[in-house]
Amino acid sequence: MNWAAFLSNYIFAFIVLNVMLGLMAYMTYFERKVLAAMQDRVGPKRTGPFGLLQPIADGIKLLAKEDIVPKNADRLVFLVAPLLSFVLAPLSAAVIPFGGTVTVFGQEVNLYVADINVAVLYVLALGGMGVYGIILGGYASANRYSLLGALRSAAQVISYEIVLGLSLVGVFILSGTLSLVQILEAQQQPLSFGGVQVPNWYILSQPLGFVLFLIAAVAETNRAPFDLPEAESELIGGFHTEYSGFRFSFFFLAEYINMIAVSLLAATLFLGGTDGPIADGVWWLAAKAALFLFFYIWLRTTLPRFRYDQLMGLAWKVLLPLALINIALTGLIRLWGLGLL
Amino acid sequence: MSAEVLVFDILGAIAVLAAAGVVLARNPVHSALALVVSFVNVAAIYVILRAEFLAAAQIIVYTGAILVLVLFVIMLVDPDNLPEFHGGRPVQRLLALILGLALLGEVMAAILTRTIVGQPGPWSPQAVAAVGGNTQALGRVLYSGYVLPIQVTAVLLLAATIGALVLARPDTPRVRALVRDTATISLAHPRGSEMANGVEPALPALAAGQLKLEAGERTLVMAKSGDDFLDQPVWGERHQS
Amino acid sequence: MSELTATHFLTLSAALFIIGMLGVLIRRNVLVIFMCIELMFNAVNVSFIGFAWEQHSLVGQTFALFIIAVAAAEAVVGLGIIMALSRRLDTVDIDQVHELRE
Amino acid sequence: MSLEITEPTPVIISEERQVSDTRRELVLNMGPQHPSTHGVLRVRLTLEGETITGCDPVIGYLHRGVEKLGESKRYAQFVPWTDRTDYVAAPSNNLGYVLTVEKLLGIEAPERAQYWRMIMAELARLASHLVWLGTHALDIGALSMSLYCFREREMILDIFEKFCGARLTTNMMEIGGFSRPIPPDLPDMIRDFLAVFPKRQREYEDMLSANPIWLARTRGVGVIEPDVAINYGLTGACLRGSGVNYDVRKAQPYLFYDRVDFEVPLGTHGDVYDRYLVRMEEMRQSLKIIQQCLDQVPTDGPLKLAESNYVIPPHDTVLTTAEDMQRHFIWVIKGFSPPKGEVYLAIEHSKGELGHYIVSDGSPIPYRLRIRTPDFVNLQSLPYMAEGAMLADVVALIGTIDIVLGSVDR
């Protein structure tokens, strides 16, 4: 066992996890500030300089809140459900490459936690498992309406998970691999397109795939125009209506971690993660992910909400066919590229 | 005990216990949860057996889709009126147990006395790594020797979805069946209603300047005075539904 | 037993299969029976992939993939039937589903 | 006799009735504390899966017996109560009541006062439409719209505050005109608002009018045919959305609406989107009216009717002339007694036709005071629109009829 490699990788994983949790906390602050700016107001600025301590204040507040468990709720499931969605969310950051390999104190450290062969499928699997947090949360709170709300949002997440998966097949065809590290390398050699050095990012060769991925990602995290489950809590009772205190914040924060994870994924898959015009590095990845996060918030302020049937109709009647067409086209282009056609 | 075997045993033990939990759980939702635990552990075992693609497929398809559907059905079927635990007749349960143990004995005997037959196939771990990984190797095998089964599975899945659609098609709820054609009122000021029935209220003849606001594709009609368009109501297509 | 051999995954597969079978025989709730069938599918998959690992051939894994696809199709139709059943008879107890009998 | 207090029967929150062997009907209770019912409205929905098969609004949670109160207050004392009915457009309510009483007394406010009344009523219409747009868009999901709309509404409320000291419960109109002088810089303040607002309104329209999700959520939803709208007695944008040309300002002009040139927008499809367009166009027409009023209003002249024992004498002469002091004393203690008879007058309130019907038996206190509020009547069309709609549409339907529970329940 090469302990040094194991240790360095472990430390790197520890850093990544903490950065994700820290980012998650400050994502709430970032969202409230940007939301406020877009709505002609100021946003939190009382707690600490420029309101920077707001996430900590929220955390303490939620900790102090009473943690009510409904009387005839299914206790065990009620307690586990939020943990499930909270724990699964940051795991998908394990496969995201934050850079190549770098030597620290003479020890070869590669800047990704794990380069598994089925990285993207791993992320999809985590998305699939995240649905359990929603369903069990709705079921366990023993009230008929949060159950109906939970089933609706589960159906939404499943439908958009299919679109998410299919929209990425285009990228797999071009890069020939599922592992994010290799996808990143495939995007790094710049294409010379009529003399002009064009970065070989997949957003350029996969525009339709990118748009589909974006829409599906927004729907998968129950955000912005697809946040029916939240609105549903007005009508039917969203799955987290019965939760309170810190348990509720697990659901709430899981949403933000999902957003960050998906933004990192989108940045890596379509915008060439750490690859930048001047000096490659993790800051490029951070900038691109921040771009996506801003896009999330921008959607939330401007767009009204879909109705449930429109939302499902969009997934099955519009996005899915488009994804299949995208796959067929990319396949043909790839074959034509290889000269087999 | 190499680390691999140790991990395999732990995962296997959890999977078996969870499987037992599926059978023994009183509440079907709990048995579904136990099944999730069992499937996740089996997926981990696939990773040990160097089948990463299968592990991911197992989690995405089995736990991510099939089990979620099962949970849907459990919850939609109003879980309170479920039959009592182990409603079966005790004799049948005992018989089943004996049968099960006998089968287990037989199978274990077969497993322990088996002799490996046939020489190892071409895909040794080194060959798989050379090609680029389990997914790439699996892709090559699938699309070299098994193209026909793939097409058949595709047709099967299509048939299954259509079947499910037919089965689960909700009978149409009675919705806005009535066509609302109350008598219309001529509108100087709403005094009486002497609208000849059957006369379709059409958009009023509009003076040029009056059609004003092109909002979306919808036009608003601007009335200059209180007695414009008083002969009959302004109306787009009549709503038959 | 220090090295991972075929007996390991075969015993696991057998155990899962037996439990699944017992579940089908014992339980009266259609949904639990359905889950036990999924369990049996899984047991078969374990042995397929175990053999693929042992024989250094990927044929086992392709079969496992097809089994997953078929199990998905079967699950969809099975649940459709269960839904229709529960809506008509308002029960999921398999004993009361005997209209086709006698 | 023993006073047994019966246990209050529990309010049925929801039960499931077996409609037919295959369909189960779910009764759902929405409100009265509910973010999108614009106040304390409770709606009992019966659902079949996703579609609404029955909907009956339950009101009365904000009933304060305004009309009964009217029968114990002198004519001039009742004006503050009119702010509290539709608290979103208080000046319009004041105007409605005051004009009806003046019609009963057979007197008329001086020309300058009437112009200022028109300006304030139109500003109230704008304020009310901004609240409608903000909450309507917020219910359907566009978060920022409410922030933008209330930002503009602030400017109007500042104008009200400069004019009468209060932002919401203005109580600005009195029988016979205004007793307080017009602040000199008020017209400029209004002109600044008129200069800024059209650009802001274009911002709203960029956000919503051509937004595909907004179109999807509003087009074809809650369709009311014109004849049905008339039969339900709908007025205001709900009626004009279905294309029926009835606006009290045009049909029975009051104040100086006949001297002002403006148009009445009519919808062609009678759905939520048409009512949205009609109200947005009404806002533009109000701007036009205010502009013309500001140009036409005489800059000096009496703001209050002079010698009439129906009107409180002006402050400066009360202390100096005996006759005014005596008139002031009688007016305050006894109030004035109008001629016997009954009167009904309707004005075009932002939500529809606001009518006041007063029966006077000659005493200083009205015998009967009936307020016909528009959104009470418009609310009756909710069940008609909701039947067959999707569950998530109820929120849009409540928004489109623009109700304020203060004036629904009175």
Side-chain angles (χ1 to χ4, degrees), chain A residues 152 228 232 235-236 305-313 317, chain B residues 170 173-176, chain D residues 28 30 43 45-55 140 216-223 272 382-398:
Chain A
R152 268 175 198 260
L228 205 68
E232 215 59 313
L235 292 177
I236 280 200
R305 214 171 273 126
F306 276 108
R307 210 176 42 200
Y308 183 63
D309 54 334
Q310 293 158 349
L311 188 127
M312 299 304 274
K317 295 191 184 116
Chain B
R174 41 176 177 73
V175 157
R176 201 178 267 211
Chain D
L28 182 70
M30 186 170 123
V43 184
L45 299 167
T46 49
L47 291 170
E48 221 169 83
E50 182 66 29
T51 347
I52 296 168
T53 51
C55 148
I140 299 188
R217 280 299 295 275
T218 51
R219 261 203 306 221
V221 172
V223 175
V272 171
L382 181 63
Y384 174 85
M385 287 194 285
E387 196 201 329
M390 309 289 287
L391 184 55
D393 286 336
V394 173
V395 172
L397 295 180
I398 293 176

Side-chain angles (χ1 to χ4, degrees), chain B residues 145-167:
Chain B
Y146 293 89
V147 177
L148 180 62
I150 289 177
Q151 312 300 351
V152 168
T153 323
V155 170
L156 178 81
L157 286 174
L158 182 61
T161 22
I162 295 173
L165 280 181
V166 168
L167 274 171

Side-chain angles (χ1 to χ4, degrees), chain A residues 137-215:
Chain A
Y139 163 73
S141 14
N143 103 37
R144 189 102 178 86
Y145 302 120
S146 57
L147 174 64
L148 286 175
L151 292 184
R152 268 175 198 260
S153 50
Q156 169 189 332
V157 167
I158 287 180
S159 326
Y160 280 94
E161 196 189 309
I162 298 168
V163 175
L164 197 73
L166 288 181
S167 69
L168 291 179
V169 170
V171 171
F172 304 152
I173 295 175
L174 290 183
S175 65
T177 137
L178 283 171
S179 129
L180 282 171
V181 175
Q182 286 157 13
I183 290 178
L184 185 60
E185 276 149 22
Q187 290 182 54
Q188 256 153 359
Q189 298 91 351
L191 273 170
S192 67
F193 212 59
V196 152
Q197 287 289 22
V198 167
N200 174 16
W201 290 350
Y202 284 130
I203 186 170
L204 304 176
S205 44
Q206 276 289 318
L208 181 56
F210 174 66
V211 168
L212 291 174
F213 176 80
L214 219 52
I215 297 173

